[in-house]
Amino acid sequence: MAHYRASDSKREQYRRYLEKAGVVDSLTSVFVSLYEQQEKPTNALEFIKQHLGAVGQTSSEAEALQQEVVDLRQRCAHLVEENKDLKARLQHYEPVSEDGGTAN
């Protein structure tokens, strides 16, 4: 029984050490971020590694980066649509020949 208490005491000391060092909060923050991802990453371990370094960022920095991601995704979607439209318009003026090139 004494061995169990010594082991339990060491475990508790280690837990307090991790809490004081901010490790518990950092890991919790990264896990919450992973949980809140709408599109789960294919490699969760790589996500955790990348985001552990970003934990020190302020919430305003994180929000700004998230907004930038949203803006860039919207811009990308707009450009994809514009590209489709331009290809369709180009097709009207330069029909593609059977070999895949443009007919001249």
Side-chain angles (χ1 to χ4, degrees):
M1 189 71 171
H3 178 16
Y4 177 75
R5 282 191 188 141
S7 167
D8 199 36
S9 175
K10 284 183 181 183
R11 196 173 294 154
E12 183 61 26
Q13 286 176 347
Y14 189 66
R15 184 189 63 76
R16 282 189 300 232
Y17 161 73
L18 292 175
E19 283 180 352
K20 276 186 177 180
V23 173
V24 174
D25 288 339
S26 293
L27 288 173
T28 300
S29 176
V30 171
F31 286 138
V32 168
S33 178
L34 177 59
Y35 176 77
E36 291 175 344
Q37 292 293 308
Q38 289 181 2
E39 296 177 24
K40 300 297 183 219
T42 55
N43 188 336
L45 183 57
E46 193 61 35
F47 176 92
I48 291 168
K49 287 178 184 178
Q50 289 175 351
H51 287 79
L52 268 177
V55 169
Q57 295 179 344
T58 65
S59 61
S60 63
E61 288 175 334
E63 288 175 17
L65 289 172
Q66 288 174 343
Q67 185 59 48
E68 184 178 1
V69 168
V70 168
D71 294 344
L72 290 172
R73 285 182 177 164
Q74 289 174 347
R75 182 171 180 223
C76 182
H78 172 74
L79 290 173
V80 166
E81 289 302 315
E82 183 180 7
N83 190 352
K84 286 180 187 177
D85 180 51
L86 290 172
K87 283 182 179 180
R89 289 171 56 193
L90 181 62
Q91 180 66 27
H92 175 73
Y93 296 106
E94 295 182 15
V96 177
S97 66
E98 290 181 22
D99 66 356
T102 57
N104 288 333

